[in-house]
Amino acid sequence: MDIGIDKIGFYVPQNYIDIVELAKARDVDPDKFTIGIGQDKQAVPKPYQDAVTMAASSADSILTAEDKKDLGLLIVGTESSIDESKSTAAFLMDLLELPEDIRAFEIKQACFGATAGLQSAFDFVSLNPGKKALVIATDIARYGIKTPGEVTQGAGSVAMVISENPRILKLEHKSVYMTRNIGDFWRPTFSKTAFARGKFSNQVYVDFFQTLWQKYQAKFDVTANDFSTMLFHIPYTKMGTKALRTLEGKVSDEKYAELTDHYQASIKFSREVGNLYTGSLYLGLLSYLVNGARPNEELLLFSYGSGAVGELYSGQIQPGFDKAINKDKILNLLDNRQKMSIADYEKMYQVEYQNGTIVDPKTVQEKFYLSEIKENERLYKKLN
Ligand code: CAA
């Protein structure tokens, strides 16, 4: 039975800042941010948006009544959860009007959460023929104003329906993974912003990729020639470039040129959005599907979550995959955003809703929003 990604949806907040303007405001050479880090724009969420509202938006963009009826599992991967107890998934039951015979929960392992969800969804669909699973990656990546990590922030969500006979990507059940206790990135429960040993994180990421690529080749008796595309976890696009570059000189020049060319197609959206944390790899997949993919291509996907877990797995693009993606909707979402000044972004960054806040729906532009914080409970609404 073929199992994999049947639908993929995306949501990005409707405000962004321009990375060249950010560089100028921070007195940095813009080339450092656009070339050295590899970013052009950064999504900025509104104060009434969070992991829940963005997850609702990405899932709402793809779910039909038929999907909802068939769902048996909902997994949200996030490291921006708004509650230490209740899962983001539970909030979505109302917002998405899902039937209650669903097993819904949240997974946290830094940027690996969505991949853990995807592999669990594969297992679930294998064991429950006819059922579908919804996996959502949703995050707000924050390091703080004027920190080295500021240029690698971002926000957004990717939702995927996993089913039999997938129309987009067949998962091949070929995978290698590894975990080590590493202090490269963390966010204690008291902190809204992450702490990172950025350069160390780069080293660990590249080491995990090289280790897993060796393991993958040995386990499945393949070489780079068996793949036309490698997709990477891309919190900022230079990071994936560093892993890809380890193949230079080790594969033929033609193969390296092909992988580099396809990688460029996979980072287009990330350059425009920034860091999605656990959604980053899947935004790369979506970017590749919209900007370069061909039917029957063999993909290798590298997932990395600080702390650290890595997984390398393969999939095959399905014939007719382009008909299962609403390319115009995705491009419109990206193209119709409003730019914010750096001063406005800094002001909005400081806004944090407290207990007792009631959000006036007239000030809301997005479909799903935080409507109120009452008795310290966050309550959400959908604009009709
Ligand atoms: N023109 C072109 N390039 C320039 C330049 C210029 N004028 N000036 C500098 N550069 C280049 C540098 O040569 C460097 O390139 P290489 O990395 O190829 O050497 C690059 O720009 C960055 O320069 P620095 O290393 O000097 O930059 P920095 O000290 O400001 O740190 C950073 C960069 C480490 C990425 C920092 O932004 C950071 O700490 N970010 C947050 C950490 C992070 O995002 N880690 C990844 C998260 S891990 C993850 O995603 C997993 C998870 O589970 C959360």
Side-chain angles (χ1 to χ4, degrees):
M1 173 168 50
D2 288 348
I3 295 170
I5 302 172
D6 186 60
K7 288 185 173 184
I8 181 164
F10 169 55
Y11 176 76
V12 64
Q14 289 302 286
N15 288 117
Y16 70 90
I17 52 169
D18 182 274
I19 289 297
V20 171
E21 290 178 14
L22 180 68
K24 288 182 181 158
R26 301 291 176 255
D27 206 15
V28 170
D29 178 355
D31 285 355
K32 174 173 174 181
F33 284 2
T34 56
I35 300 168
I37 300 290
Q39 294 302 130
D40 296 318
K41 292 178 183 167
Q42 183 176 111
V44 181
K46 300 235 175 53
Y48 56 74
Q49 294 189 293
D50 60 21
V52 172
T53 66
M54 295 191 304
S57 299
S58 65
D60 184 62
S61 74
I62 51 170
L63 286 182
T64 59
E66 185 73 13
D67 292 327
K68 291 181 190 181
K69 188 171 62 60
D70 296 339
L71 281 182
L73 180 68
L74 162 58
I75 303 179
V76 178
T78 183
E79 53 186 301
S80 321
S81 194
I82 49 87
D83 197 288
E84 288 298 319
S85 172
K86 184 171 172 178
S87 75
T88 303
F91 289 101
L92 298 178
M93 298 301 291
D94 293 347
L95 291 174
L96 296 172
E97 295 171 28
L98 299 177
E100 67 182 23
D101 51 342
I102 285 179
R103 187 186 290 147
F105 57 92
E106 181 177 306
I107 292 185
K108 175 185 70 180
Q109 178 33 61
C111 301
F112 182 70
T115 300
L118 188 70
Q119 299 296 5
S120 304
F122 181 98
D123 297 345
F124 175 82
V125 175
S126 310
L127 289 170
N128 296 277
K131 297 302 280 183
K132 294 178 182 173
L134 175 62
V135 176
I136 308 176
T138 181
D139 271 309
I140 297 177
R142 285 196 153 182
Y143 293 89
I145 304 278
K146 297 181 183 163
T147 61
E150 184 181 25
V151 61
T152 67
Q153 298 180 143
S157 175
V158 177
M160 296 173 279
V161 171
I162 313 306
S163 73
E164 288 170 34
N165 304 317
R167 288 172 302 160
I168 297 177
L169 188 76
K170 180 174 94 173
L171 298 173
E172 294 178 327
H173 203 38
K174 287 184 183 167
S175 159
V176 290
Y177 35 81
M178 63 189 283
T179 303
R180 286 185 200 148
N181 181 9
I182 305 263
D184 63 330
F185 176 106
W186 60 100
R187 184 169 72 80
T189 46
F190 66 80
S191 179
K192 290 275 173 217
T193 50
F195 296 78
R197 296 189 176 105
K199 287 176 186 142
F200 176 55
S201 187
N202 270 324
Q203 288 165 15
V204 179
Y205 171 92
V206 169
D207 179 32
F208 268 48
F209 171 68
Q210 290 183 297
T211 306
L212 289 170
W213 178 223
Q214 289 303 326
K215 281 184 199 232
Y216 193 97
Q217 290 175 93
K219 184 171 176 185
F220 299 110
D221 193 22
V222 291
T223 69
N225 291 330
D226 293 293
F227 300 94
S228 60
T229 304
M230 294 191 188
L231 301 178
F232 296 88
H233 167 54
I234 32 177
Y236 56 97
T237 67
K238 182 65 165 293
M239 200 155 169
T241 308
K242 284 173 191 278
L244 180 62
R245 280 185 184 160
T246 63
L247 299 177
E248 193 170 10
K250 296 198 184 116
V251 301
S252 70
D253 291 350
E254 295 73 31
K255 180 51 66 180
Y256 187 67
E258 181 187 38
L259 293 174
T260 302
D261 190 42
H262 292 190
Y263 177 67
Q264 291 306 322
S266 79
I267 63 175
K268 279 191 174 166
F269 289 174
S270 292
R271 289 194 71 100
E272 296 282 304
V273 171
N275 199 345
L276 255 61
Y277 283 159
T278 191
S280 297
L281 171 63
Y282 300 97
L283 183 59
L285 170 64
L286 183 61
S287 182
Y288 189 61
L289 291 167
V290 170
N291 296 303
R294 284 153 306 154
N296 303 314
E297 264 191 81
E298 285 289 325
L299 305 188
L300 196 64
L301 298 96
F302 174 54
S303 180
Y304 176 80
S306 290
V309 183
E311 180 156 350
L312 195 61
Y313 68 95
S314 64
Q316 187 186 42
I317 295 186
Q318 297 301 283
F321 73 93
D322 46 336
K323 293 182 197 70
I325 298 168
N326 194 335
K327 184 174 167 175
D328 290 342
K329 193 170 171 181
I330 291 161
L331 293 175
N332 282 338
L333 186 68
L334 284 166
D335 290 346
N336 295 332
R337 293 176 295 162
Q338 288 100 47
K339 187 169 81 169
M340 290 185 101
S341 69
I342 301 302
D344 285 347
Y345 141 77
E346 287 176 357
K347 249 183 260 152
M348 198 155 86
Y349 206 96
Q350 308 306 334
V351 179
E352 201 184 313
Y353 289 157
Q354 304 297 330
N355 189 33
T357 296
I358 298 177
V359 176
D360 179 355
K362 291 196 207 76
T363 63
V364 171
Q365 286 156 315
E366 288 78 5
K367 187 167 179 182
F368 299 98
Y369 67 104
L370 171 75
S371 61
E372 190 175 354
I373 308 180
K374 191 176 170 187
E375 294 172 48
N376 284 306
E377 186 183 11
R378 291 170 80 89
L379 303 172
Y380 296 88
K381 278 195 178 150
K382 177 165 87 167
L383 284 184
N384 291 312

